[in-house]
Amino acid sequence: MSSISAPRGVRDILPDESWKWEYVFKVTRDTARDFGYREVHLPVFEHTELFSRGVGETTDVVEKEMYTFDDRAGRSLTLRPELSASMVRSYLENRMDKLHQPAKLWSAGPMFRYERPQKGRYRQFWQIDFEAIGSQDPYVDVESIAVSLEIFRKLGLANLEVVVNSVGCPVCRPVHKEALQSFLKSKLGDLCETCKGRFNRNPLRILDCKNPVCREITEEAPDTISCLCAECSEHFSAVRLGLDRIGAAVSVDKRLVRGLDYYTKTAYEVLSGDLGAQNAVCGGGRYDNLAESIGGPHTPGVGFAAGVERIVLTMEQQGRSFGEPPVLDAYVVSPDPSSRDESVALLYEIRRSGIAADIDYMGRSFKAQFKTAGGSGAVFACVLGPDEIATGSVTVKNLETGEQHQLARAELSSFIIEFKSAKVKKQEGNLL
Ligand code: ATP
Ligand code: MG
């Protein structure tokens, strides 16, 4: 029988990488707290309608990329391709409008999109998602951008480009759509096949087509900013001014339109100069009509989603620190089968005192246990043989220095804990 591998486009995040992810989540969690965002765990699947209505029928995500299936009762369900629609659904369903507004919420987890897998693009990938729902204040747009930049700053990401645009609202969007269509009408035959299809359904997306011919054609095309209504124009100026005030280095990209239909007014993206084709680490913006499109009352909102795989890739490429990988403090070595039971007892004794410890389960020889102890990253090997048992002691070997001495068994835990805290203090001292 052939062995089963993982489906195309998904990855196992193995221990050598998963600890790096923990670091990204820790920084995210700390930043969320500092900015007053609270965590929500959202379901991995939702009613398909949530996305077809919320994200938009004519978007690539809904048209081509969703994992949709019927459950056993015949309901159409979809593995979430993104989180904003779910977060707004949750906000409405749980009457979060009754809480302090805006509701500032964040979540993280795997998303699913049927895409062509390549470096930085997978069919299951993780996003960190922040949403502020219930306020129109341009400073909330500013804060949303600022949270993402703060996370990236703490993670040490460099060579980032932050671009913003305004895609308008239902008042000014039709004006722009018409201007764009009349500009493109005579050039329609030269556009790529995808853009020909977009011309009637979603002409805005032609502006961010990566095809060089389309790019050249749209070089002089009317942009969204030139068509903004007074309210959107004022909002965009306030956002830019606000970004200036908090010292965020941001540039305007008039082509930025984003792939999801729900964006209104502010759209933004953070691009990494070190990712090649898949260069977006984060995208977001305002979505004042999303709540209505999924059946709720008019509720403004703004948020962003950042891709965890791409953050980790960028950090690796830029040689950034992920903090210390988790290692054991101690490895219990049993030189003789007769002392094994007591060694196991010692193992649990020190674990209960908060020491990360392990023992051999493979019947390895005394020498091989030391080798494993070394490979485990533990600083100490704690040897408990018949002699030690007879004297109520443990032989402790520092695997880094080779130093070895005998301790009373009762003192072992405090010895290791003191050693650890002295090491931390020394590291902190080195940082000062
Ligand atoms: P792209 O232009 O790369 O397709 P997108 O505009 O579709 O990105 P969003 O929907 O804005 O992406 O999602 C936010 C972030 O999630 C992206 O900036 C990216 O970091 C990440 N992301 C999106 N799709 C994938 C994917 N298939 N694999 C890995 N990360 C992804
Ligand atoms: Mg995409």
Side-chain angles (χ1 to χ4, degrees):
M1 224 173 14
S2 61
S3 61
I4 299 168
S5 57
R8 185 164 142 80
V10 308
R11 296 169 70 225
D12 301 312
I13 312 302
L14 300 174
D16 280 347
E17 189 180 343
S18 63
W19 69 274
K20 298 179 179 176
W21 284 49
E22 270 319 300
Y23 180 72
V24 173
F25 291 129
K26 186 188 177 305
V27 166
T28 302
R29 192 172 298 279
D30 290 350
T31 313
R33 192 202 49 222
D34 292 349
F35 279 71
Y37 280 78
R38 299 194 304 155
E39 189 172 12
V40 181
H41 295 296
L42 292 163
V44 163
F45 58 85
E46 297 267 9
H47 288 293
T48 301
E49 245 193 312
L50 175 69
F51 304 115
S52 52
R53 278 167 44 188
V55 175
E57 291 280 6
T58 62
T59 56
D60 284 355
V61 168
V62 171
E63 274 188 341
K64 302 187 243 172
E65 297 174 359
M66 293 206 303
Y67 281 90
T68 298
F69 59 96
D70 284 349
D71 75 1
R72 285 169 192 273
R75 299 178 191 94
S76 179
L77 300 174
T78 292
L79 298 182
R80 61 186 183 194
E82 58 106 56
L83 275 173
S84 303
S86 299
M87 195 70 97
V88 172
R89 195 252 327 123
S90 174
Y91 170 94
L92 295 171
E93 192 169 341
N94 296 296
R95 296 309 311 258
M96 288 193 228
D97 58 321
K98 299 281 176 232
L99 308 176
H100 177 76
Q101 299 295 296
K104 302 205 306 189
L105 309 165
W106 77 280
S107 192
M111 306 300 137
F112 307 86
R113 295 185 191 176
Y114 192 78
E115 299 206 72
R116 197 165 72 78
Q118 49 205 293
K119 193 173 182 208
R121 191 177 294 290
Y122 310 99
R123 291 185 172 170
Q124 173 175 328
F125 60 96
W126 279 63
Q127 279 186 345
I128 288 164
D129 183 88
F130 281 64
E131 312 290 351
I133 307 171
S135 168
Q136 327 236 26
D137 188 342
Y139 268 120
V140 184
D141 308 41
V142 171
E143 189 178 72
S144 179
I145 297 172
V147 185
S148 64
L149 298 186
E150 180 60 6
I151 293 171
F152 300 149
R153 188 192 67 77
K154 283 188 187 144
L155 292 174
L157 292 190
N159 196 10
L160 296 181
E161 191 190 352
V162 190
V163 288
V164 290
N165 193 17
S166 175
V167 294
C169 70
V171 173
C172 41
R173 210 118 93 187
V175 178
H176 175 253
K177 187 174 172 180
E178 213 180 297
L180 187 59
Q181 280 173 327
S182 73
F183 173 86
L184 289 172
K185 206 184 285 163
S186 59
K187 307 165 180 73
L188 189 58
D190 299 329
L191 294 174
C192 75
E193 287 310 308
T194 316
C195 284
K196 278 185 190 134
R198 285 169 172 158
F199 181 78
N200 280 318
R201 288 183 300 121
N202 198 356
L204 193 62
R205 289 302 311 275
I206 299 175
L207 288 180
D208 82 339
C209 181
K210 303 286 181 284
N211 183 309
V213 178
C214 297
R215 283 195 88 81
E216 206 187 312
I217 293 173
T218 52
E219 202 57 58
E220 301 292 316
D223 54 55
T224 49
I225 295 179
S226 61
C227 300
L228 293 182
C229 66
E231 187 195 315
C232 287
S233 184
E234 208 174 290
H235 188 93
F236 192 46
S237 302
V239 170
R240 289 173 60 187
L241 213 68
L243 288 167
D244 245 18
R245 267 191 201 119
I246 65 159
V250 170
S251 57
V252 174
D253 178 356
K254 294 180 179 178
R255 277 180 184 271
L256 179 69
V257 297
R258 313 273 303 119
L260 315 175
D261 272 359
Y262 53 57
Y263 287 110
T264 53
K265 298 194 167 99
T266 315
Y268 93 100
E269 244 170 28
V270 180
L271 309 169
S272 161
D274 294 291
L275 279 183
Q278 274 58 250
N279 63 348
V281 283
C282 168
R286 182 164 276 283
Y287 45 80
D288 291 345
N289 302 315
L290 174 55
E292 263 171 301
S293 70
I294 60 170
H298 180 79
T299 315
V302 55
F304 72 85
V308 178
E309 286 82 357
R310 293 189 197 175
I311 291 174
V312 172
L313 267 172
T314 308
M315 288 177 69
E316 282 175 345
Q317 242 148 45
Q318 296 182 351
R320 299 298 164 221
S321 164
F322 293 90
E324 293 288 317
V327 285
L328 293 173
D329 301 316
Y331 199 90
V332 177
V333 173
S334 169
D336 190 288
S338 69
S339 60
R340 183 142 198 269
D341 292 341
E342 211 40 51
S343 297
V344 171
L346 176 70
L347 170 69
Y348 282 84
E349 226 168 85
I350 60 175
R351 278 182 179 163
R352 273 194 291 273
S353 326
I355 290 164
D358 213 346
I359 197 166
D360 172 56
Y361 294 113
M362 302 305 288
R364 289 187 179 91
S365 69
F366 186 49
K367 207 173 142 197
Q369 286 180 55
F370 265 103
K371 225 173 142 190
T372 317
S376 75
V379 181
F380 295 107
C382 306
V383 184
L384 193 72
D387 293 348
E388 284 86 358
I389 292 173
T391 55
S393 65
V394 181
T395 302
V396 183
K397 183 172 181 180
N398 182 321
L399 294 164
E400 286 167 2
T401 62
E403 242 174 277
Q404 181 171 315
H405 54 276
Q406 210 152 355
L407 278 180
R409 180 164 164 173
E411 285 167 15
L412 177 63
S413 291
S414 51
F415 168 78
I416 296 176
I417 288 166
E418 270 162 35
F419 180 89
K420 268 176 75 175
S421 69
K423 198 170 168 181
V424 170
K425 272 200 195 115
K426 199 169 156 210
Q427 277 167 350
E428 283 170 358
N430 286 344
L431 285 178
L432 291 177

